[in-house]
Amino acid sequence: MTWPSWLTRTSDVRGANSVAVLTHDLGTDPRSDEALDAVLDPTERARAERFVFPPLRRRYRVTHAVLRCALGHWVGQPPGALRFEIGPHGKPALPGGPAFNLSHSANRLLLGITATGRLGIDVELLRPIDELEAMARRNFAADECAILMACPEAERSR
């Protein structure tokens, strides 16, 4: 399988119990809004237009176009031909698979795809946490809080 050249693969394994993990920089996607819109369905295009801030509108378009391109490549269909079902909790799915999950934080997108089973994937921008100790004391068990506070201050927010 050959993935689109603009999509970074952290793994590209297919088969029983395997997962393809793909990442993409949403801020540097080279495609125009028109090219992105060409693979989105009317609902996605309309939703993109509802974003007030252009960077968020662009990020939505790129995210959904990347998802469609990767899944279309996986199943051998044009990205614009994919039809998603929406589950009871609002999560999209492709009828007949593959299973997929995506996460994004700031301009980083992470996408997992598997032919079997379900999966979850998450990415978070590392950033300082204000009032880390107070937050830990409110939310962590006492032994967890003690372990965190025993770490050197420079390592606590990792």
Side-chain angles (χ1 to χ4, degrees):
M1 167 191 319
T2 304
W3 293 95
S5 61
W6 47 263
L7 194 59
T8 304
R9 283 93 45 215
T10 57
S11 71
D12 189 6
V13 180
R14 290 183 67 175
N17 301 317
S18 64
V19 176
V21 179
L22 305 107
T23 183
H24 189 64
D25 184 339
L26 299 172
T28 62
D29 191 280
R31 295 168 295 168
S32 69
D33 287 348
E34 293 77 20
L36 296 169
D37 282 349
V39 301
L40 303 181
D41 70 19
T43 302
E44 290 166 315
R45 287 191 296 271
R47 185 168 181 197
E49 287 304 315
R50 290 195 301 266
F51 283 89
V52 174
F53 300 107
L56 297 178
R57 184 180 314 128
R58 171 87 180 159
R59 191 178 303 157
Y60 177 87
R61 279 185 169 111
V62 173
T63 297
H64 285 257
V66 166
L67 174 64
R68 284 179 164 278
C69 288
L71 290 173
H73 183 76
W74 184 285
V75 300
Q77 293 183 24
L82 299 177
R83 298 294 172 249
F84 295 95
E85 292 179 346
I86 305 300
H89 301 290
K91 184 176 177 178
L94 273 181
F100 64 91
N101 190 247
L102 71 80
S103 177
H104 57 84
S105 182
N107 279 337
R108 178 58 50 201
L109 170 83
L110 192 62
L111 171 63
I113 306 172
T114 185
T116 57
R118 299 182 318 180
L119 76 152
I121 200 160
D122 192 31
V123 62
E124 284 295 329
L125 176 68
L126 292 178
R127 57 186 166 72
I129 299 173
D130 295 333
E131 302 180 18
L132 177 63
E133 185 174 353
M135 187 269 312
R137 293 196 190 289
R138 278 192 314 272
N139 297 292
F140 294 0
D143 59 333
E144 293 170 329
C145 194
I147 292 168
L148 177 65
M149 292 304 120
C151 291
E153 190 170 341
E155 294 180 16
R156 288 184 191 164
S157 64
R158 290 183 166 186

